[in-house]
Amino acid sequence: MGTITTKDGTEIFYKDWGTGQPIVFHHGWPLSADDWDNQLLFFLSQGYRVIAHDRRGHGRSTQTAVGNDMDTYAADVAELVAHLDLKDAIHVGHSTGGGEVVRYVAQYGARRVAKAAIISAIPPLMLQTPANSGGTPIEVFDGYRAALAANRAQFYLDVPMGPFYGFNRPGAKVIQGAINNWWRQGMIGGAKAHYDCIKVFSETDLTEDLKEIKVPVLVMHSEDDQIVPFSDAGPLSAKLLQNGTLKVYKDLPHGMPTTHADVINADLLAFLKA
C-alpha cells in the first residue's frame, strides 16, 4: 500500500500487490479500493499484479473540495500509472469506475493499456436528455443529492440494502456484511466529493471517449441492474467501441462483482486470457 501526491496536492491512496501483468481496478461511487478485495485476491492468485486506488474524495484519499470531475479523475489515474510505470496494463472499472476507465483509456492509455473491462458501468451517458431519451430523469439524481445532504449515513444504508445489490428483489438472499461494508467505505469518504460525484456519474457524456478506444474492451452488464439501466448503458457502449464485446447477465444486480464474484471473476479471467 502507498500514496502519491498529484500535481494539485491531492494525496491518492493505492494498493499494489504482486508481480506480472498489471490489472488496475477502479471502484464505484461512493466506495473505495476495498470494494475490489475479492477480485484483488483472486487475480493475485492467478499471477497478476493487482492495483486499486481510492479516487480523490473517496476512501483514504484526500477529501477534496475541488477537482471532483471525470477529467481530473482520469488525470489522477494517469499520474498513478506513470508513478508505478505500468505497461501492458488491464483496466477494470465498476459503475462510476467504468466511466473513469473509459475516460482514462481514451485520453491517456494508447501506449500503456492492453485491454479494459467495464462492469455495470455508467457510459455512454446516464442522464435523460433530448438526445438520450432512454436515460434516467434528472429528478432521480436530485433525489440522491437531497438524501445525501439530509442524512448521508442513512442514505448509505438505504442504497446497499435496496437496489445496489438487488436485496429488494423477492427471494433475494441479503448479505448483511456487504451492506455494512458499503456503509463503512462510503462514510470514510468526503461528503462534498461524494455530492459532486453524483453530477459526474450522471451527466458525463462518454460517447466520444468510447469511439476513441482501440484496445479490446469487455462490457459486462445485467438486464436487472437497478442503478445503471441496462438498455441505456451496456449495449450502447459495446456498439460505440471499436473492439467491444458485450457480456449480458439476466438476473444479477448492479453490485454483481460482490454478490456474484465467482461468476464475474471467471468471465473476466477468460477475457484476459483470450
Side-chain angles (χ1 to χ4, degrees):
M1 297 185 292
T3 61
I4 64 162
T5 302
T6 66
K7 293 174 183 176
D8 71 351
T10 299
E11 192 171 84
I12 301 292
F13 171 93
Y14 67 91
K15 307 177 186 185
D16 181 6
W17 304 338
T19 58
Q21 186 177 17
I23 308 176
V24 183
F25 292 91
H26 305 242
H27 65 79
W29 173 94
L31 305 173
S32 73
D34 293 353
D35 205 45
W36 290 111
D37 280 351
N38 181 289
Q39 284 72 36
L40 295 175
L41 292 172
F42 175 80
F43 285 97
L44 181 66
S45 74
Q46 297 294 317
Y48 291 91
R49 177 183 178 184
V50 293
I51 297 122
H53 68 291
D54 291 354
R55 186 175 301 117
R56 64 168 56 216
H58 296 66
R60 290 139 294 201
S61 294
T62 302
Q63 293 195 10
T64 46
V66 296
N68 303 310
D69 58 81
M70 195 62 81
D71 282 341
T72 307
Y73 295 165
D76 290 346
V77 174
E79 289 197 51
L80 176 62
V81 167
H83 174 76
L84 298 176
D85 194 25
L86 303 181
K87 297 171 183 175
D88 196 34
I90 300 147
H91 287 260
V92 178
H94 175 246
S95 195
T96 302
E100 183 177 272
V101 166
V102 167
R103 179 60 52 88
Y104 165 75
V105 175
Q107 294 193 354
Y108 300 96
R111 292 179 294 177
R112 291 186 179 269
V113 177
K115 290 183 177 182
I118 57 175
I119 307 170
S120 311
I122 61 170
L125 171 64
M126 281 194 73
L127 183 67
Q128 184 181 72
T129 67
N132 186 40
S133 60
T136 302
I138 188 67
E139 290 78 13
V140 172
F141 305 114
D142 288 342
Y144 286 6
R145 281 182 276 264
L148 188 155
N151 190 333
R152 185 167 68 126
Q154 185 59 49
F155 183 45
Y156 285 4
L157 285 175
D158 294 341
V159 174
M161 285 194 300
F164 197 92
Y165 293 124
F167 295 155
N168 56 345
R169 292 301 195 214
K173 180 182 177 182
V174 175
I175 306 169
Q176 188 62 45
I179 296 169
N180 296 350
N181 193 39
W182 204 100
W183 186 90
R184 176 191 68 84
Q185 292 179 73
M187 293 305 295
I188 290 172
K192 176 63 164 62
H194 289 176
Y195 187 94
D196 292 348
C197 192
I198 295 170
K199 180 180 178 68
V200 179
F201 71 65
S202 62
E203 298 184 34
T204 302
D205 190 339
L206 293 149
T207 299
E208 297 305 316
D209 301 84
L210 289 162
K211 293 177 182 177
E212 288 292 321
I213 296 173
K214 297 180 175 63
V215 298
V217 181
L218 178 63
V219 180
M220 309 167 79
H221 218 112
S222 174
E223 293 177 341
D224 196 38
D225 192 319
Q226 298 178 67
I227 302 294
V228 182
F230 172 81
S231 61
D232 199 55
L236 300 183
S237 290
K239 288 180 182 178
L240 288 165
L241 288 159
Q242 296 183 37
N243 193 1
T245 300
L246 178 63
K247 177 69 177 179
V248 179
Y249 304 87
K250 183 174 176 58
D251 298 318
L252 303 192
H254 181 71
M256 58 188 183
T258 295
T259 59
H260 296 79
D262 54 341
V263 174
I264 300 306
N265 292 352
D267 289 345
L268 266 177
L269 184 63
F271 170 68
L272 300 191
K273 290 184 174 295

